[in-house]
Amino acid sequence: MQKVIQTHAKAADIFCRDESRVDWHSKALWVLREKRDRAASSLPEWETLRALGSQIKLHTLRELPSYLEAFEAKCLSQGVQVHWAKDGAEHNRIVHEILSRHGVKKLVKSKSMLTEECHLNPFLEGKGIEVIDTDLGERIIQLNHQPPSHIVVPAIHMKKEEVGDLFHEKLGTPKGESDPTRLTRAARAHLREQFLSADAAMTGVNMAVASEGAVIVCTNEGNADMGANLPKLQLHSMGIDKIVPDLDSAAVLLRMLARNATGQPITTYSSLYRTPKPGGEMHVIIVDNGRSDMMRDKLLGEALKCIRCGGCLNTCPVYRRSGGYSYGHTIPGPIGIAVGADEDSTHSSPWACTLCGSCSFVCPTKVPLDKIIFHRRRLYAERKSLPYGKSGYMPLVGRFMASPLLLDTGMAAARVALKILPHSLLKPMSGAWGKYRELPAAPGSSFEGWVKKNRPELLVKSKGEK
Amino acid sequence: MKIALFTPCLVNQMMPEVAIATLSLLEKLGHQVIFPQGQTCCGQPMTNSGCFNEAKNTTLKLLNAFKGVECDAIVCPAASCLVAAKENFHEFDKSPEAQAVIDKLYELTEFLHDVAPVTQFNRPVPKKLSLQLSCHGIRMLDLAAPSEYMGPRYNKMEALLSRIDGVKICYPERLDECCGFGGTFSVDEGAVSAKMGKDKAQAHANTGADYVVGFDPSCLMHLDGTIRRRQLPIETRHLAQILNDAL
């Protein structure tokens, strides 16, 4: 699929043209937020868990090298092969090398945003290996030649009728079939064939437990387990940030992961893998791909506390009304801006946010998402690569606001204009404001003007004023 | 108490009625109010855009207006501006004089609820009010427990308003979802901002309330523009105006 480069605002503007679709998208995700609220409120210790979750992740990130080394040593002692990749290209090369050594023609994969980040599928397909994504949502968008639009519900942007049309074309379901149960059954039968004929399986990793040398994989469909348990060769790709010290800390995060994502107490299948099956091979590929660089900035580094529940996407009023594809990088929404803004060549994604802060309060590990997004904007300003003409007009706004004389006379003129000129004349000059809203009614004078006239005794001059 | 009024540029220039109501209600409550001259913008439009260099002079100008002013508290009827002023003052001036100003900064709701609590109102206000829980006020100033938070529930605006006879309080659906103003967001991301404003204004109107009441003039201005565009049967009022009517 050809990628169109456009700012978030432009992409969102296009998305917003179909208002009923925006309402539908916003509501579908808000339902998840409501389920999350019910699940979280059912645990009296929810806020304690969040504090603990944040501490566990922060602690592990601070001691990352020692936990990664302990994890590797434990893996090796259990016969698991461990690989290190500094970036996506190296990750893909390692995966291909393992697969080609085993003559793999077909790989079944269970959802992994990391392999999306590394663009593994097109790489392997280019080498003649068939890659089948096996989560239902992932499979839908794979058949539709699209990347995920959400990190937990990747096909949330598609209506069931659209899935029906797609399945009719690709899987031969009856034309016009849009019943979710019947479509799911068709997908299951199709995927069953893929599992049985695959030469190798690959999964992402929700958590890697240092003390056990184990990886934890969470799915609701059991597809990761079906994949990993059938062929002899299994691969697991993980970012360096996925490590946790021990099972107790994993348990804290597991209690929140599904609750915060979909409102479930726990994902239906939460499996630990720590040894190869008899006669088989198990590989873990540990990927950096920019994470160490992010950690050099203390605030950006906190984004690595994220456990990818998707809760921030579901609550984000901007994400819900602009869709996942508007962000210009692999991971959309608040966490996407936090970890992926550098991928967005228009530099606009950090501005796809009102700084409302809902994401930071929803986050189970207290990633300070709104602060990180705010910080990202400052980094762009320092690099002089601001979007929307800000580097041009902000200095003028700065000078205007810093001068009481300019501000007073300018605003007095604006009030007069609002009072005497027809708003139809002013609206085109007020840009997006007047396009969508009525202009404010103008008062006769400023408050300061009112005080000078009516209550001059209130006025004081500061000693600090120069 | 002796109170210095902090009226952010938007209130000063475009919504003087909010400042007049704030002055009036503080005086009715027995406080002595003064108005330091030379106040300007807190710098939020610039800092929220990442432009800290461009914000510096503006912010320091505002800070200087309060430096050395004798008072017990500096009170502001605009939550978002108050938060920005606090953070920006600290960012650009770390002197003890700046800290003295920062320590006295209060948002109006916070002041009337926490610092000099108002327990009694004299006049009934027989109106149904749909409360606008603006983001910065609830999530950065603790004016109410945000809906995402699972700890103890509190809401300082509701606590104040519920002491007024005749007032009926209600909330829109998705009660504390952002209204979509977001400063320059309303212009940079016009389509999404407008859609958020439309959804929020409609949710307020759906309650059947007489007024949308809030503590943040910028959100109210945004909602007002949307309400009038869509001709919805509801009006915006600042908390100060309702409280002033009840005193």
Side-chain angles (χ1 to χ4, degrees), chain A residues 311-344:
Chain A
C312 62
L313 279 66
N314 302 339
T315 201
C316 177
V318 178
Y319 170 84
R320 279 188 280 109
R321 289 170 181 83
S322 56
Y325 297 137
S326 56
Y327 290 82
H329 35 84
T330 309
I331 299 182
I335 185 62
I337 304 172
V339 300
D342 287 338
E343 279 180 66
D344 161 28

Side-chain angles (χ1 to χ4, degrees), chain A residues 12 165 421:
Chain A
D165 291 345
L421 293 178

Side-chain angles (χ1 to χ4, degrees), chain A residues 90 102 275 304 311 316 349 357 389 424:
Chain A
E90 190 171 9
H102 290 264
T275 54
L304 298 178
C316 177
S349 73
S424 57

Side-chain angles (χ1 to χ4, degrees), chain A residues 8 19 23 33 47 320-321 358 377 390 401 415 437-439 447-448 455 458 460 462, chain B residues 12-13 27 35 37 40 48 64 91 147-148 150 177 188-189 193 195 198-199 228-229:
Chain A
H8 180 275
E19 190 173 0
D23 289 335
R33 164 73 208 275
E47 292 299 330
R320 279 188 280 109
R321 289 170 181 83
S358 180
R377 295 179 182 182
K390 284 180 190 292
M401 298 285 204
R415 282 194 303 272
R437 310 160 189 86
E438 292 304 303
L439 300 176
F447 176 66
E448 191 162 1
R455 300 287 306 274
L458 300 183
V460 293
S462 131
Chain B
N12 183 34
Q13 300 289 348
E27 287 186 335
F35 184 64
Q37 281 180 282
T40 178
N48 271 11
N64 278 335
E91 169 79 30
S147 60
E148 305 89 20
M150 296 297 151
E177 185 185 43
D188 295 337
E189 289 265 358
S193 170
K195 177 63 179 148
K198 182 183 173 188
D199 289 352
R228 286 188 294 119
R229 166 63 62 95

